[in-house]
Amino acid sequence: MNNTDALVAHSLLFNGLPPEQLKKIGAIAVKKHVAKGAAIFFEGDPGIGFYVVVTGKVKIFKTSFDGKEQILHIFGPGEPFGEVPVFHGSPFPANAEALTEADLLFFPRTEFVSLVTSNPSLALNMLAVLALRLRRFATQIENLSLKEVPGRLASYLFYLMEEQHNQERVTLDIPKGQLANLLGATSETLSRIFSKMNEEGLIRVEGKTIVILDAQRLRDR
């Protein structure tokens, strides 16, 4: 297994596929390196393919007419993004930008659709990943529409606890300014909420590390 095949094998999208399929997928993958802050694609660009994050983090976001940014997703190593237009044949519905310096794998639409057509197990993997993505997105919409900012922050901390398999402390995976954007709040509001939760004994903030002191009370926010 060459380096590209190994990177493909570690993606959530291709996990569990047999070596011969991984080799075919790796053969069409194009390695890309992007600098921090670099645009990967813009809303409305043709959906000519999709990406998988190898290293770093990528944000997917939309921008309003007045320039306000709303982050929709943040993806890290092993996670695909921009895959829906590949099957729908539509333009990208949002913007993608590197939150950090990042290495990506790009999969051209035409070649990938051909592989999926001949490998049903690959299609099943994609359906599983897209179903998880939809569930996360539905949760985010629910949080933004039904919860106040403290509740949104609490939900995000529980999400990190699940992702990082740690019930006692989590590490913020993005800068607090970006987190505020993701939660639909200002940086100042988020800072005040962190401080209040700290004062109330719900959490202890240690830089990027958040120690969970009272999970039950935090869940009730």
Side-chain angles (χ1 to χ4, degrees), residues 75-104:
F75 297 125
E79 295 187 291
F81 65 96
E83 69 276 17
V84 173
V86 168
F87 296 100
H88 194 269
S90 59
F92 289 115
N95 309 288
E97 181 181 300
L99 266 178
T100 65
E101 188 174 0
D103 291 303
L104 311 172

Side-chain angles (χ1 to χ4, degrees), residues 57 74-76 79 136 139 143 151-176 178-180 182-183 190 194 203 207-212 218-219:
K57 288 190 176 295
I74 293 177
F75 297 125
E79 295 187 291
R136 289 181 181 175
T139 299
N143 288 340
R152 299 175 204 168
L153 175 57
S155 294
Y156 187 75
L157 293 177
F158 279 107
Y159 163 75
L160 290 181
M161 289 163 66
E162 181 180 346
E163 286 289 300
Q164 298 176 15
H165 306 291
N166 195 325
Q167 300 298 306
E168 297 180 355
R169 61 178 60 225
V170 296
T171 301
L172 295 180
D173 54 352
I174 54 175
K176 289 180 180 177
Q178 297 287 349
L179 176 57
L182 179 65
L183 299 179
L190 187 63
F194 267 121
I203 62 174
K208 290 186 176 181
T209 299
I210 309 298
V211 180
I212 310 301
L218 183 63
R219 194 180 297 277

Side-chain angles (χ1 to χ4, degrees), residues 17-207:
L17 293 179
E20 60 270 18
Q21 289 190 20
L22 294 175
K23 189 173 183 64
K24 291 178 181 179
I25 296 168
I28 68 170
V30 180
K31 294 179 181 179
K32 292 181 178 290
H33 181 80
V34 290
K36 179 181 179 180
I40 300 167
F41 55 73
F42 294 99
E43 180 178 356
D45 283 352
I48 58 173
F50 73 98
Y51 299 81
V52 168
V53 182
V54 177
T55 64
K57 288 190 176 295
V58 171
K59 68 176 179 179
I60 307 298
F61 66 99
K62 293 179 77 73
T63 304
S64 65
F65 287 114
D66 60 0
K68 183 179 179 181
E69 180 182 293
Q70 175 61 58
I71 295 178
L72 305 176
H73 300 284
I74 293 177
F75 297 125
E79 295 187 291
F81 65 96
E83 69 276 17
V84 173
V86 168
F87 296 100
H88 194 269
S90 59
F92 289 115
N95 309 288
E97 181 181 300
L99 266 178
T100 65
E101 188 174 0
D103 291 303
L104 311 172
L105 290 179
F106 173 72
F107 297 88
R109 178 177 186 268
T110 303
E111 291 91 332
F112 189 78
V113 169
S114 178
L115 281 180
V116 171
T117 302
S118 58
N119 295 279
S121 55
L122 177 55
L124 290 174
N125 263 38
M126 294 204 72
L127 284 173
V129 171
L130 291 175
L132 177 61
R133 183 78 46 79
L134 182 61
R135 184 166 66 90
R136 289 181 181 175
F137 193 57
T139 299
Q140 182 181 0
I141 294 299
E142 179 184 0
N143 288 340
L144 288 174
S145 59
L146 300 179
K147 294 183 179 181
E148 298 297 329
V149 180
R152 299 175 204 168
L153 175 57
S155 294
Y156 187 75
L157 293 177
F158 279 107
Y159 163 75
L160 290 181
M161 289 163 66
E162 181 180 346
E163 286 289 300
Q164 298 176 15
H165 306 291
N166 195 325
Q167 300 298 306
E168 297 180 355
R169 61 178 60 225
V170 296
T171 301
L172 295 180
D173 54 352
I174 54 175
K176 289 180 180 177
Q178 297 287 349
L179 176 57
N181 192 315
L182 179 65
L183 299 179
T186 64
S187 297
E188 293 77 10
T189 296
L190 187 63
S191 293
R192 287 197 297 271
I193 292 170
F194 267 121
S195 296
K196 186 173 182 180
M197 286 183 173
N198 193 83
E199 292 169 0
E200 293 176 347
L202 303 180
I203 62 174
R204 184 170 67 250
V205 181
E206 300 176 351

